[in-house]
Amino acid sequence: MKISLIAPVLAFASALSIAPPVAAADDDFAIIGARIYPTPAAEPIPDGVVLIRHGRIAAVGPRGSVRIPNSVRTIDAHGGAVTAGFWNSHVHIMTETLLGADKAPASQLRNGLQEMLTRWGFTTVFDIASSTDNTLALRQRIESGEIAGPKVLTVGDPFYPKNGTPIYVRDYLKAHGFVDEEVATPEEAAARARRQLDRGTDGVKIFAGAIVGGTIGVLPMRVDIAKAIVGEAHKRGKPAFAHPSTLAGLNVAIDSGVDILAHTTAMDGGDASAAGWPPELIARMRAHNMAVTPTLTLFEVEAKRSGERPEDLAHAIKATTSEVRDYAAAGGQILFGTDVGYIDMFDTTEEYRLMSRALDWRAILASLTTAPAERFGFAARKGRIAKGMDADLVVLDGDPAKDPTAFARVRDTIRAGRIIWER
């Protein structure tokens, strides 16, 4: 499947509502009347209450069991559902409105974050390839309280093999004056990984299979170089992501100790991936405790943009959903991710529709909440609705247990007790 660069242009005067400035952290409130899903495995609480005080969850339970002080305002969520805040474990801080983050107007950055992320319930995101300088600047402005936005984890600049800058980002990188992200030796690769991690990045990302086009097609990264990059992240307890593209790239990821696959592998055409991953490959991935981010909408978007035949698209979707279903059935961890910032299809409805072919609603909710919180070391604070946890919450207009696309119908996005988007 050919992948082409999409240059997203965000419309400032969009039909989406723009949230007011972030509320003060001590602006306590209670969400009442909703169906609450404390965790993916727990029984829901009908007509529930979540009390939020000083940015944390102070109490949760059925109406009548939670005392709401008279001074605390309430949000009536009757007819809706409340879950823990969503994670998007595959985004790119690359859209035009999020560039120049050190000097861009706060309103521009807030609008860009809302249209791409907070509008869809994301309270935490993992950026897995962007400009280190720009993303760290954006994160600083969010954490200072100047801009309402999600918690941003980032790998910063990715690592491409020598002569392996993907064909679909070459013009973008040149147009924006980004640095050369190719590495030729293990020593060079390790040194750059150390520099980025020293600056405060939260992991690394390798292109185990870089799409270069021409007669080569997909260029695998040398395993010794991949191991050098991954090893630097692991020394600091940080995760390593890989863009695999093909089964050859997936093998590089496994052999180098990568933790998270950024995509499934829908590009091998007539080989074994056409029917999904074979059991022996899944067993190898499970032995390395790898997680998978499906990004199923990506393949649909790119196929339609490149004019692929409907039957080829159907074949690719069948293969990718089979990979997700089989890996989850084998006990593999699935993380929700959409590749937004590279693709401009910010609406998550289609991703949930495609994921529901492979997973039930509880597994989808886990991919959005408990799984990433556990994978990235935040399980003690995020991913569940329980007393003492960070008040990262999503209020939905609908019940995802009845219709998984309800995960996309967001009324309110709340991070640390602050409303960062409201319809």
Side-chain angles (χ1 to χ4, degrees):
M1 180 175 293
K2 180 180 179 181
I3 293 187
S4 58
L5 178 63
I6 297 174
V9 179
L10 305 182
F12 286 10
S14 74
L16 299 178
S17 300
I18 301 302
V22 173
D26 59 354
D27 186 11
D28 301 340
F29 61 96
I31 303 169
I32 63 173
R35 189 174 182 83
I36 299 170
Y37 290 99
T39 71
E43 288 301 310
I45 302 171
D47 193 19
V49 175
V50 182
L51 178 62
I52 297 165
R53 308 204 72 169
H54 307 297
R56 299 221 174 212
I57 297 170
V60 58
R63 190 196 294 263
S65 71
V66 177
R67 180 181 174 274
I68 303 174
N70 292 334
S71 61
V72 170
R73 66 188 177 96
T74 59
I75 295 176
D76 187 353
H78 179 77
V82 178
T83 74
F86 295 165
W87 289 62
N88 190 327
S89 299
H90 186 151
V91 309
H92 298 285
I93 306 299
M94 293 171 58
T95 54
E96 295 296 328
T97 49
L98 298 181
L99 296 180
D102 57 336
K103 298 178 181 178
S107 59
Q108 172 187 318
L109 299 174
R110 184 187 67 240
N111 292 354
L113 289 167
Q114 287 178 343
E115 192 163 9
M116 186 168 83
L117 299 170
T118 56
R119 163 67 181 82
W120 308 104
F122 298 118
T123 57
T124 307
V125 299
F126 217 128
D127 160 71
I128 60 168
S130 66
S131 161
T132 303
D133 291 343
N134 187 72
T135 302
L136 291 180
L138 176 64
R139 179 164 75 183
Q140 191 280 325
R141 294 183 70 178
I142 293 171
E143 296 308 314
S144 74
E146 179 188 5
I147 299 166
K151 181 178 182 62
V152 177
L153 304 173
T154 183
V155 302
D157 290 273
F159 293 78
Y160 303 131
K162 184 65 177 175
N163 300 317
T165 300
I167 191 171
Y168 51 86
V169 297
R170 292 172 189 167
D171 290 343
Y172 177 91
L173 298 178
K174 182 178 180 180
H176 293 90
F178 284 10
V179 299
D180 182 0
E181 295 166 334
E182 297 180 7
V183 285
T185 68
E187 294 75 19
E188 176 191 358
R192 177 152 76 84
R194 287 193 294 272
R195 288 196 300 271
Q196 291 182 194
L197 291 163
D198 285 344
R199 296 189 59 195
T201 56
D202 304 287
V204 296
K205 162 78 171 292
I206 67 169
F207 275 67
I211 303 168
V212 297
T215 57
I216 295 175
V218 175
L219 177 66
M221 178 176 277
R222 281 171 39 190
V223 174
D224 60 339
I225 293 176
K227 284 183 176 180
I229 299 164
V230 172
E232 292 300 326
H234 286 176
K235 286 177 185 177
R236 307 186 191 210
K238 304 292 186 181
F241 296 78
H243 179 114
S245 298
T246 61
L247 290 178
L250 177 49
N251 281 320
V252 171
I254 293 172
D255 292 342
S256 61
V258 159
D259 305 287
I260 303 105
L261 288 186
H263 304 283
T264 55
T265 54
M267 293 185 57
D268 280 291
D271 72 8
S273 73
W277 290 325
E280 57 272 20
L281 178 61
I282 289 176
R284 289 179 62 212
M285 293 167 63
R286 287 288 296 117
H288 286 77
N289 193 30
M290 298 182 83
V292 174
T293 309
T295 66
L296 299 172
T297 305
L298 167 72
F299 302 106
E300 188 172 81
V301 169
E302 294 290 2
K304 290 178 179 177
R305 288 180 63 88
S306 62
E308 290 193 20
R309 297 180 305 168
E311 54 268 33
D312 291 336
L313 171 59
H315 178 84
I317 294 298
K318 181 179 180 181
T320 53
T321 54
S322 176
E323 290 167 359
V324 174
R325 181 175 54 251
D326 293 347
Y327 195 59
Q333 190 177 62
I334 306 297
L335 306 177
F336 185 87
T338 56
D339 211 347
V340 289
Y342 170 70
I343 64 171
D344 59 0
M345 188 170 177
F346 303 147
D347 187 334
T348 52
T349 304
E350 182 66 3
E351 188 70 18
Y352 295 126
R353 186 185 70 81
L354 292 172
M355 288 184 75
S356 68
R357 296 184 182 184
L359 306 171
D360 66 17
W361 72 271
R362 290 184 184 274
I364 296 173
L365 179 57
S367 77
L368 288 160
T369 57
T370 51
E374 175 189 313
R375 171 64 61 166
F376 300 122
F378 290 87
R381 295 170 43 199
K382 300 180 185 295
R384 298 177 291 118
I385 303 178
K387 183 177 179 180
M389 301 290 282
D390 290 353
D392 290 1
L393 301 163
V394 182
V395 183
L396 300 172
D397 186 14
D399 189 346
K402 298 177 180 178
D403 174 11
T405 65
F407 284 122
R409 298 197 291 275
V410 176
R411 292 187 188 181
D412 299 279
T413 304
I414 301 163
R415 180 190 168 201
R418 300 176 175 185
I419 298 173
I420 60 175
W421 189 86
E422 60 183 335
R423 190 174 59 190

